[in-house]
Amino acid sequence: RPPTGGAWESEILLDETEAAIAMENHHGASIDFGGIMSAEVRRALYKAEKYASLGGDEFAAMVAFIASATRLKKAIENVAENGAPPPELAPLRNIVSAMVTHPEVADKIKACVDDQGGFKD
């Protein structure tokens, strides 16, 4: 997304980008956004915001979304240099420190919906 908050937002986004590059190039940790924002996830979030019922495919997409967000958060948190978090990754750590992924919600959904979005008996 393009910055809308002026120069300070551009600086924050640049710092985050540089941290992501450092994570991949210098720490060998990949940032994988797979499953984060599929069309099904967008639709599920929109419908949930409107208090509309979700279909099985949307529930399955939310499980994938939660799993991907959890994996991304752990990947960033687990990078260490001499047992300490690398300072150049602080912008990414600041983002994930506020993330709450709720894997227990994914577990409850998985108890009712299979991977293809079919409802279980």
Side-chain angles (χ1 to χ4, degrees):
R1 71 178 164 82
T4 57
W8 63 272
E9 185 178 7
S10 295
E11 287 296 323
I12 290 170
L13 293 172
L14 182 59
D15 289 345
E16 292 168 357
T17 302
E18 289 173 352
I21 292 168
M23 185 170 161
E24 292 208 6
N25 291 343
H26 303 296
H27 301 287
S30 178
I31 299 177
D32 179 12
F33 290 100
I36 292 289
M37 263 309 172
S38 67
E40 291 85 5
V41 170
R42 283 188 190 92
R43 187 174 63 241
L45 292 173
Y46 175 80
K47 287 171 75 174
E49 184 179 63
K50 303 291 184 196
Y51 300 100
S53 298
L54 302 184
D57 61 330
E58 293 157 337
F59 279 116
M62 292 308 299
V63 169
F65 172 79
I66 292 168
S68 296
T70 301
R71 189 172 45 255
L72 181 62
K73 180 176 179 162
K74 286 180 182 178
I76 293 168
E77 290 175 338
N78 289 337
V79 175
E81 219 173 58
N82 299 322
E88 65 270 16
L89 300 187
L92 297 179
R93 288 182 166 282
N94 291 340
I95 293 170
V96 299
S97 68
M99 286 175 61
V100 181
T101 58
H102 297 292
E104 71 280 1
V105 173
D107 292 339
K108 289 184 182 203
I109 294 171
K110 286 191 281 188
C112 302
V113 178
D114 64 29
D115 292 340
Q116 288 76 41
F119 289 98
K120 297 178 180 178
D121 290 333

